[in-house]
Amino acid sequence: MQKTRTVIWDWNGTLLDDVEICIAAINIMLGERRKNLIDRDTYRDIFTFPVKEYYLKAGFAFDDEPFEKPALEFIEHYTGMAGKAPLFSDVEETLADLRFRGYRQFILSAMEQSSLDGLVRRHGIRHYFDRISGIDDHYAHGKTDAAKALIRSLDGKSGEIVMVGDTIHDHEVGLELGIPVVLVARGHQSAERLRETGRRVAADLAEVRKILQTQIPQQ
């Protein structure tokens, strides 16, 4: 098998450590609606794509209000706190190491494109990536279409491609694209949920780097 030469990174929860900010934002909204707040364990057990399903599990009722209202409220709260979200401590070392070893790197996210671009640049890592692909609205329905467009744009000289993410949706996108996926179990979904996909599950990016040097099953 040809050695992996292209890595497609998820952003939120994989490179950006924003779980606590997401919990804080959703709890503001739940509190305003006099709903029960959620803790980190509950959040990681119920978060999913499309996020409308996650909102329902969190306690929102869309017979009372349209989904678009809390979805946009969340973006307002998230944007106000996003500057506090750091990269995971091993991100820049990992990106630099892979670039040194000749890997092409991309970001694929269910975040709105301009917001995604701004956060990546704010953290000073834009230069590691050939392309950053987000979506064209704030509703986070998923990123399958963006993934397909990204794959079509590659020049066919990328060697083996692997995707690295932190959610079951990343696994699902990998199935759509027919590429291997490695899941990192410190982001928006629990390790138990990720293992149910049958994918390789890593604790951190140091482990991801080791996995990238092995043969990764496509499923």
Side-chain angles (χ1 to χ4, degrees):
M1 178 182 291
Q2 186 175 16
K3 193 174 182 179
T4 299
R5 288 300 177 199
T6 294
V7 178
I8 300 176
W9 295 99
D10 171 60
W11 174 242
N12 304 88
T14 301
L15 300 180
L16 185 71
D17 184 6
D18 65 347
V19 173
E20 293 302 326
I21 284 176
C22 290
I23 296 170
I26 206 74
N27 276 338
I28 290 172
M29 296 158 59
L30 289 170
E32 291 172 346
R33 291 162 173 82
R34 299 183 179 180
K35 305 284 188 180
N36 292 331
L37 306 188
I38 61 175
D39 60 18
R40 184 183 179 93
D41 288 341
T42 300
Y43 173 81
R44 298 179 79 226
D45 282 339
I46 67 174
F47 180 77
T48 192
F49 286 94
V51 295
K52 184 175 182 177
E53 295 180 16
Y54 151 59
Y55 278 43
L56 289 169
K57 291 178 181 179
F60 291 86
F62 297 128
D63 50 353
D64 298 334
E65 59 183 340
F67 161 68
E68 290 76 12
K69 184 176 186 294
L72 292 177
E73 285 181 24
F74 175 84
I75 293 301
E76 291 176 3
H77 292 306
Y78 181 92
T79 301
M81 296 185 282
K84 299 177 183 179
L87 298 176
F88 285 103
S89 60
D90 51 8
V91 166
E92 189 147 14
E93 175 186 0
T94 298
L95 298 178
D97 176 63
L98 293 183
R99 184 175 69 170
F100 176 77
R101 291 195 278 135
Y103 287 72
R104 298 179 70 188
Q105 300 182 84
F106 298 81
I107 288 178
L108 173 68
S109 175
M111 178 177 278
E112 189 273 330
Q113 184 71 55
S114 63
S115 299
L116 175 62
D117 288 335
L119 280 175
V120 174
R121 292 184 185 280
R122 179 184 298 178
H123 285 285
I125 58 172
R126 176 63 183 86
H127 58 288
Y128 289 113
F129 304 103
D130 287 32
R131 178 174 168 181
I132 297 174
S133 296
I135 62 175
D136 59 6
D137 60 43
H138 288 289
Y139 300 125
H141 299 298
K143 56 190 179 185
T144 302
D145 290 342
K148 291 178 179 177
L150 175 58
I151 292 296
R152 287 195 300 269
S153 74
L154 299 181
D155 57 16
K157 300 179 181 178
S158 301
E160 184 187 345
I161 302 172
V162 63
M163 187 172 173
V164 181
D166 71 309
T167 68
I168 295 169
H169 183 54
D170 294 306
H171 154 68
E172 294 167 343
V173 171
L175 288 178
E176 285 281 338
L177 300 179
I179 62 175
V181 178
V182 178
L183 299 172
V184 189
R186 61 183 181 185
H188 291 271
Q189 292 183 328
S190 65
E192 291 75 16
R193 295 177 70 192
L194 298 181
R195 291 192 187 101
E196 290 175 357
T197 67
R199 299 285 190 180
R200 298 285 295 274
V201 177
D204 54 29
L205 298 193
E207 189 173 348
V208 169
R209 285 156 64 183
K210 293 178 182 178
I211 292 173
L212 290 177
Q213 298 178 55
T214 68
Q215 292 187 354
I216 308 170
Q218 290 193 7
Q219 285 194 327

